[in-house]
Amino acid sequence: MISKIRYGNPVPTGAVVNGTADENGKGQLRYFEKTEQGFRYRMEKKDAVYGLGEANRGINKRGYQYISYCTDDPNHTEEKLSLYGAHNFIVIDGACTFGVFIDNPGRVTFDIGYERTDELNIIPEYEDLDFYIIEGEGIKDIVRQFRILIGQSYIPPRWAFGYQQCRWSYMDADAVREVVDGYENCGIPLTAVYLDIDYMESYKDFTISDERFPDFGNFVKEMKAKNIHLVPIIDAGVKIEDGYDVYEEGTAKGYFVKDREGKDYVTAVWPGLTHFPDFLNTEARRWFGLKYQALTDKGIDGFWNDMNEPAIFYTERGIDEVREFLKAEAGTGDISTDQLMELKWKLNELANNDTDYKAMYHNMDGQTVNHDRVHNLYGYNMTKAAAEGLAELRPGERTLLFSRSSYIGMHRYGGIWMGDNQAWWSHILLNLKMLPSLNMCGFLYTGADIGGFGSNTTRELLLRWLALGVFTPLMRNHAALGTRLQECFRFEHTEDFKSVISCRYRLLPYLYSEYLKSVYENEMMFRPLAFDYREDEIAVNVEDQLMLGNEVMIAPVYTQNATGRYVYLPENMTMIIMHENGEEEKELEKGIHFVEMPLNRVVFFVKADAKIPVVGTDYGRSICNGTMEDIAVSRISWLGKQDKGYRMYMDTGHSDNKKDDVLITEF
C-alpha cells in the first residue's frame, strides 16, 4: 500500500508516473511525527535503513547524515555528505518495515542516527513536497511497489554491456586507433571507446574538432567496422561565442537560465564563459535534445552527459569578490597567514557556490522558479532532453545514454555512472555498496570508473576492480588527465586482463537476462544479503557481498596484496572459478570460508539448486554485437547444478521493444 501526504505547493518533478498512491491529503502522517525542522521517526535498536541511491558509506545508512543535493565533488571520502545524485528513497527495516520517498527537488537532509542515535530526521530546506509511505510484505515487496510507482527503468542497447574504455582525453583519432589496436593486439575484448571534452572545438557542445578528428563520419564507420562504438561526452554549459549556432539560437529564443533581472545567467565552465540551457522548460528541452543530431548523423549511437549538477567553476560575482579582497588587503603591506588562508578559502569557494545557484532562475513553462528549489532536477532533465530528442532522431532504436547527475525519475531515460572516483581500494567497496541502493531507486544501468578516475591506479587494483566490473551493467575503465595510462594492454602479463574481461562476455546471457528481468519485473538486480536472508544474523550484517539475480552471490577482493578473502555463505553454494576458456566448480557448505581468488580469475558463487547460462568468449562477443537472430540456444552451457530451471530473457538488443517482444525461454 502506498499513501501520500502533500505539504505546501510542490514543484512537479516527474518522479512519479503511476498514480497508485492513496492521497490522504491532510491525513495522518504514519510512523513519523512532524517537527519544526521536518519529520522525525524514533528508531529501535535493531532498525536498519537502506537506500538513498548514490550515497556515501555503508549499505545500512544508519549512523551518519546525508544531504540530497547534486554536487560536483570527485573526492568521495567518508566525511562527504553529498555526491553527484539525489535519490530520496529509503526503507526502514526493523520493528516496523516501510519505505519513504520525499519528492522534493531541493536540498533535503537525512539525519539517520547522527545527532541522536535513536532518531531518523528528514529535514527539507523548503517544505513543499509530497511525502510517500510504502508498506508491504517485506523489503523486496516495498521496493517493487516503489519501482512501479516511478516507472520502468531504461534499457540500453545490448552492445553497451561490453567492455568499454575511456580517458580524459583521447586527444585525436590516432590516439583512439592506438587504444583499439592495443586491445586487439592483446586479444582483449573491447566494445566502446569514449571521447571526452577534447574531441570538441573549444569545448563547444555538438561540434567536432576538424584538426583532431578530421572526416569524423568516416572515422565512426572505421571504428564500427571493428565493432567499436564511439561515445562522445556532452556538457551542460553552452559557450558564449558569436557565430556559435547553439549559443545564438538559445539566446534568441530565450532558452537559457536567467538571473534575477531576467538576463541570461553567466557562469564559467570548460569553454570559459557559458550559459546553462533551461532544461526545466519544455521548449528548451526539445530544442537541446534535437541538437544531438549533429552527432547521430555521423553514426554515433551512444552519449554520456556530464557537468550537469550543474557544475560551476566560477561566476563574475565570485571573481569580483576575490578582486575586492585583494584590493583591500594590498594596502596593508605584508600579507599575514590569516589573510592567505582567507584568500585560499575564497578561491576554493568560487566553484559550485550556493550563492551562485540561488541567483539562477528557471522558466518552468510559464512559472518562474528559483534554481535552489529545483537544483536536483537539472541533470535529470538534461538527460530527459537527450532521451526524447534521440527517440525522435533514431526512432525504434536504443541509444546508450547515461549521466553524472540525477534525481529519481531520470532512471526512465538513462543510466548513471557513479561519478569521478579515485584509484583507491576503498572505492571498489564503495562501488559495490552503491549498487543495491541505486537499484532500489530504479537505476539499473550503472557502474563506477573501473581502476579509478583520479590518482594513479596499479595493476593489482585494476584487475581486482575489473573482477567486480565483470558483473556491473556499465563496465567502463576511465582515468583522468594527469594520471598514469591505465588501458589494460599497457600493463605486463596482458593475458591476465584478457582472462578476466573475457569472463564478462561469457556471462553475458545471464547478466543481460537478469537486467531485463529487473526492468520488466521491477526487481533489484543487486541486493544486500539482508534482503534475502533476513533471519540470518550474520548475513544481515554482511556489507561486502551482494546477491545478483536469484542465483548468484558476488564477493570481490578490495584490499591490497590479498590472495583471497573470507566469504560468508548463507546457504550451501557452488563456487565458480572462471577464466577465459573454462571454469572450475567446487561445492561449499553454508558458513565462513577463506576463498583463494587469483588475480586472473573471476570467482563467484551459485546457489546449490540453481544454474546460470554462459557461452564461449567468441560467442559472447557475437551476442553483444549481434541481434536476437544470432543467438543460438544450442551454444549455451550451464554452470551450477541442474536441479532448478532457469528462465532466460532475451530481446533484439537494439530495438525499442516492449515486454511482449522479449523472448522468454524456460530451461
Side-chain angles (χ1 to χ4, degrees):
M1 185 184 79
I2 303 176
S3 61
K4 179 176 83 173
I5 301 174
R6 173 159 288 184
Y7 292 89
N9 185 28
V11 172
T13 66
V16 170
V17 292
N18 294 317
T20 58
D22 173 25
E23 297 195 32
N24 54 9
K26 296 181 180 178
Q28 295 296 315
L29 182 65
R30 302 196 60 187
Y31 303 109
F32 283 78
E33 59 180 301
K34 189 74 180 66
T35 68
E36 278 190 20
Q37 286 188 307
F39 308 90
R40 177 189 297 129
Y41 175 71
R42 302 283 183 179
M43 294 188 291
E44 299 290 337
K45 187 174 182 179
K46 290 190 176 181
D47 283 356
V49 181
Y50 302 105
L52 293 182
E54 186 181 7
N56 210 346
R57 297 204 173 202
I59 291 175
N60 179 358
K61 295 297 186 289
R62 187 164 180 171
Y64 200 56
Q65 61 178 329
Y66 311 85
I67 298 177
S68 281
Y69 197 76
C70 298
T71 302
D72 173 21
D73 183 347
N75 295 309
H76 304 167
T77 46
E78 287 194 16
E79 83 277 9
K80 297 302 170 65
L81 306 181
S82 304
L83 300 181
Y84 293 105
H87 309 122
N88 303 338
F89 174 57
I90 57 174
V91 174
I92 295 96
D93 182 39
C96 299
T97 299
F98 60 96
V100 174
F101 173 45
I102 305 298
D103 195 4
N104 178 333
R107 192 188 311 262
V108 181
T109 299
F110 291 81
D111 179 339
I112 309 177
Y114 177 70
E115 289 291 343
R116 287 185 55 90
T117 57
D118 63 343
E119 288 185 5
L120 162 59
N121 284 284
I122 302 174
I123 307 164
E125 185 173 3
Y126 303 106
E127 203 170 274
D128 294 293
L129 56 90
D130 286 327
F131 193 115
Y132 292 84
I133 295 178
I134 305 145
E135 299 168 291
E137 299 177 0
I139 305 174
K140 290 193 282 187
D141 180 53
I142 289 167
V143 172
R144 188 179 300 112
Q145 289 186 65
F146 179 66
R147 292 273 302 280
I148 293 170
L149 185 72
I150 61 176
Q152 181 179 298
S153 298
Y154 160 80
I155 304 175
R158 192 166 58 238
W159 65 258
F161 284 77
Y163 175 68
Q164 306 174 43
Q165 181 64 56
C166 186
R167 184 172 179 84
W168 172 34
S169 280
Y170 297 125
M171 299 301 296
D172 55 32
D174 285 340
V176 174
R177 291 185 181 104
E178 180 193 357
V179 169
V180 173
D181 291 345
Y183 276 100
E184 185 177 357
N185 293 339
C186 294
I188 302 174
L190 179 68
T191 297
V193 176
Y194 284 69
L195 304 179
D196 212 315
I197 53 177
D198 294 289
Y199 81 91
M200 304 178 197
E201 178 191 328
S202 303
Y203 305 131
K204 292 183 290 188
D205 282 338
F206 311 116
T207 67
I208 300 160
S209 168
D210 290 333
E211 180 183 352
R212 292 190 293 276
F213 290 90
D215 198 5
F216 188 71
N218 279 330
F219 180 57
V220 174
K221 291 177 182 176
E222 175 190 333
M223 291 296 106
K224 283 197 174 178
K226 297 185 175 186
N227 286 319
I228 300 294
H229 298 258
L230 296 178
V231 184
I233 197 170
I234 301 293
D235 280 353
V238 171
K239 183 175 176 62
I240 298 173
E241 179 180 278
D242 290 339
Y244 173 34
D245 62 334
V246 182
Y247 162 70
E248 291 187 340
E249 287 177 21
T251 301
K253 296 179 179 180
Y255 287 160
F256 294 126
V257 170
K258 308 298 182 186
D259 63 16
R260 192 182 301 273
E261 285 73 40
K263 299 176 182 177
D264 291 339
Y265 193 73
V266 179
T267 67
V269 203
W270 292 116
L273 296 181
T274 56
H275 292 321
F276 288 140
D278 192 352
F279 295 120
L280 276 63
N281 178 275
T282 301
E283 289 184 11
R285 198 162 52 240
R286 184 171 188 274
W287 164 76
F288 193 87
L290 291 177
K291 288 294 179 185
Y292 285 74
Q293 185 173 8
L295 292 158
T296 58
D297 280 354
K298 304 287 188 183
I300 293 296
D301 53 6
F303 297 92
W304 52 313
N305 288 340
D306 196 15
M307 304 294 288
N308 52 2
E309 291 70 36
I312 298 174
F313 289 173
Y314 63 86
T315 62
E316 291 172 332
R317 177 207 61 80
I319 293 295
D320 286 344
E321 280 194 6
V322 173
R323 287 195 185 106
E324 289 301 317
F325 175 80
L326 289 172
K327 189 184 297 181
E329 301 303 323
T332 64
D334 294 337
I335 297 180
S336 68
T337 301
D338 288 344
Q339 290 169 329
L340 283 173
M341 291 303 294
E342 187 175 352
L343 176 60
K344 177 183 175 182
W345 283 113
K346 284 187 177 295
L347 292 172
N348 286 341
E349 290 174 354
L350 285 176
N352 307 316
N353 189 287
D354 282 351
T355 301
D356 294 329
Y357 287 133
K358 289 179 179 179
M360 295 163 53
Y361 291 83
H362 297 274
N363 172 12
M364 290 188 70
D365 301 334
Q367 180 183 1
T368 300
V369 180
N370 182 258
H371 175 84
D372 201 51
R373 290 179 173 269
V374 293
H375 175 80
N376 295 330
L377 294 182
Y378 193 78
Y380 160 17
N381 278 276
M382 179 185 182
T383 298
K384 181 180 179 181
E388 291 175 339
L390 291 164
E392 192 170 334
L393 296 169
R394 307 183 73 242
E397 293 292 317
R398 293 186 224 157
T399 304
L400 171 60
L401 181 62
F402 60 94
S403 170
R404 190 169 75 177
S405 174
S406 61
Y407 182 80
I408 290 173
M410 201 205 82
H411 69 284
R412 300 190 299 271
Y413 301 99
I416 63 174
W417 89 100
M418 296 174 184
D420 297 345
N421 59 6
Q422 300 288 328
W424 300 338
W425 287 94
S426 62
H427 278 186
I428 299 180
L429 186 57
L430 185 59
N431 179 177
L432 182 87
K433 290 181 177 182
M434 284 189 193
L435 288 167
S437 56
L438 283 168
N439 279 193
M440 288 173 69
C441 298
F443 291 94
L444 300 178
Y445 191 76
T446 187
D449 286 345
I450 293 171
F453 177 70
S455 308
N456 290 319
T457 198
T458 65
R459 181 178 185 275
E460 181 191 8
L461 174 63
L462 181 55
L463 278 165
R464 291 301 192 194
W465 211 323
L466 285 166
L468 169 59
V470 158
F471 299 101
T472 63
L474 171 60
M475 186 186 185
R476 182 178 75 152
N477 177 338
H478 185 26
L481 186 74
T483 64
R484 77 183 292 184
L485 299 174
Q486 66 183 46
E487 295 82 10
C488 299
F489 62 85
R490 300 189 189 278
F491 296 87
E492 72 267 27
H493 299 300
T494 56
E495 65 274 11
D496 291 345
F497 292 92
K498 180 182 179 183
S499 179
V500 172
I501 294 172
S502 293
C503 293
R504 167 60 163 226
Y505 292 83
R506 294 199 62 210
L507 286 163
L508 192 63
Y510 178 69
L511 296 173
Y512 190 69
S513 174
E514 291 305 309
Y515 188 93
L516 292 180
K517 283 181 192 176
S518 299
V519 170
Y520 291 122
E521 308 302 333
N522 294 295
E523 303 283 356
M524 295 171 62
M525 189 172 176
F526 297 95
R527 300 179 306 283
L529 271 60
F531 284 25
D532 287 36
Y533 302 95
R534 296 183 68 196
E535 305 306 316
D536 184 328
E537 289 190 9
I538 297 178
V540 166
N541 289 288
V542 171
E543 290 217 345
D544 59 355
Q545 303 171 201
L546 293 179
M547 303 305 299
L548 194 172
N550 292 317
E551 295 79 20
V552 169
M553 184 181 77
I554 60 174
V557 172
Y558 53 91
T559 53
Q560 184 170 295
N561 297 319
T563 59
R565 56 161 290 175
Y566 284 96
V567 176
Y568 176 66
L569 304 185
E571 59 177 280
N572 295 347
M573 291 186 172
T574 302
M575 180 172 68
I576 310 293
I577 306 170
M578 178 180 274
H579 53 88
E580 177 187 2
N581 298 313
E583 60 282 323
E584 303 168 39
E585 297 189 14
K586 182 178 180 180
E587 304 303 317
L588 296 176
E589 294 183 350
K590 174 181 176 178
I592 299 173
H593 301 264
F594 182 81
V595 176
E596 291 188 359
M597 296 187 178
L599 276 172
N600 59 357
R601 297 290 187 267
V602 174
V603 180
F604 58 97
F605 306 85
V606 177
K607 289 183 178 180
D609 63 347
K611 61 183 181 180
I612 66 168
V614 297
V615 293
T617 301
D618 290 340
Y619 192 55
R621 295 194 215 186
S622 175
I623 290 175
C624 186
N625 292 312
T627 65
M628 188 160 60
E629 290 72 26
D630 300 321
I631 298 166
V633 172
S634 61
R635 298 289 295 274
I636 290 173
S637 58
W638 300 91
L639 297 182
K641 289 191 174 180
Q642 305 295 307
D643 302 354
K644 188 176 180 181
Y646 181 75
R647 197 172 188 225
M648 191 167 80
Y649 283 47
M650 191 58 68
D651 62 13
T652 64
H654 65 89
S655 61
D656 190 15
N657 53 259
K658 307 300 180 188
K659 185 178 180 182
D660 292 342
D661 301 314
V662 175
L663 176 64
I664 301 176
T665 307
E666 302 280 356
F667 291 96

